[in-house]
Amino acid sequence: MKQLTNNKSGFTYYIIFWLSQSVSQLGSAMTGFALIIWAYKQTDSAMAVSLMTFCSYVPYILVSLFEGSFIDRHRKKTIMLAADSAAAVCTVFVWMLLINGRLDIRYIYVVNAVTGFMNAFQFPAQSVAVGMLVPKELYARASGMDSFSSNLLTVVTPVLAASVSSFWGLEGVILADLGSFVFAFCVLLFFVRIPEECSREKKKEKPFAGLKEGIGFLKKEKGLGFMIFSMALINFFSRLTYENILSPMLLARSGGNEQIMGLVSSVMGMGGIAGGLLVATGKIKGRPVRMIYLSAAFSFLFGDLGIGMGRGAWSWCLAGLAASVPIPFVAAGQRIILYHRVPREIQGRIFAARNALQYCSIPAGLLLGGWLADYVFEPFMQGGSAAAQLLGRLVGTGSGSGMALMFLCTGVLGATSSLYWYCNREIRKLEEGLE
């Protein structure tokens, strides 16, 4: 009875934590959205905007190489509070530059780099803390709630950011972000109790000792290593298109219709919300390996191919649903496996190593996708060759057809890769003992 009570209490704390962090993430997302619009208006360069994301990812990956042991040896709540505070200082810095008329794109790159540095501590600590708060039987539900909130933010952030900005400008958006930070900080500090024990022995370790230990663990747990590598490959294929190419392709193929682009993006966000709700309710259950790889294969096969071969708003919306609904199942399957297979005392090391390895392919995809679209696929489809004419029967012709062809490539490669890893023996063994 006591254990049951503790489980309920822990999940209650998780709900409070989840709600407050969702509010904080909404504020941060609004600022990020507003800054992207500001940066594009200032530079008229898509590459300048892409570099904003690139600058936040690179420090995140580099720091994740060595901070895992630090997270394991220190209180997760303290780490999260410190990381949030540093991010808030960066936001204040941007606000001060803005009101003094000195804001420049170079400063945003620096701020994003600092924020990425702090996120490298924030996210693994948060992942470990969630594992402490949530009972094992509710891991999938918690993952579904996270997916629900993140996709809800995708839908509402542009609307709220535009509304606040229209009345109070970029300064108002940043102040709203700071208000959401204060709310989440106070809730975490005063109302969320994380049941963690931190050893008083703070022995010094070499900077990469945690990474070495984490990789050593993954060598012994080959299935986890294969799973992380496979997700890095899937992330790469995804970032080649969705992060860079989707919006330009929709604009190019719809004659610059921003409403169609907004509609498809909103539908994809709603698809993620629907998938998150399905996972959170716990009504759809399955083996975690199947959840990860068959869901990913479905997303690539019906989502990417549908977007590439689509000819109008409705076909793109249907393909967007097919692409986005399975994603929360991919995240939930990973979370179930990691929390069950990794001992709690080294979860910080493993989550940090996983972040460094699994997300290292994202910056490459971000930069390579735009280059391939501008200098390889679009010129190829406009070249009039026999191969281009044949492929044009599938993806159409004219502006944007090269980017559509990229979606066909990622759809085939992503689905094939997902099915290949689903058949991997070591990965299938990860389900042993999870019944």
Side-chain angles (χ1 to χ4, degrees), residues 1-11 132-137 344:
M1 181 63 71
K2 182 178 180 181
Q3 180 64 34
L4 180 61
T5 302
N6 290 339
N7 285 349
K8 288 183 176 179
S9 176
F11 197 69
M132 295 174 174
L133 291 172
V134 178
K136 291 182 178 181
E137 64 273 13
R344 180 167 293 175

Side-chain angles (χ1 to χ4, degrees), residues 290-304:
R290 184 180 302 172
M291 289 174 66
I292 295 171
Y293 294 102
L294 295 189
S295 297
F298 184 94
S299 178
F300 278 115
L301 191 61
F302 293 97
D304 290 47

Side-chain angles (χ1 to χ4, degrees), residues 246-282:
L246 180 60
S247 295
M249 188 207 77
L250 293 175
L251 289 172
R253 308 201 79 186
S254 63
N257 192 321
E258 295 182 7
Q259 285 74 26
I260 288 180
M261 183 189 73
L263 174 64
V264 176
S265 298
S266 297
V267 167
M268 292 184 70
M270 289 186 284
I273 291 173
L277 286 174
L278 289 172
V279 176
T281 57

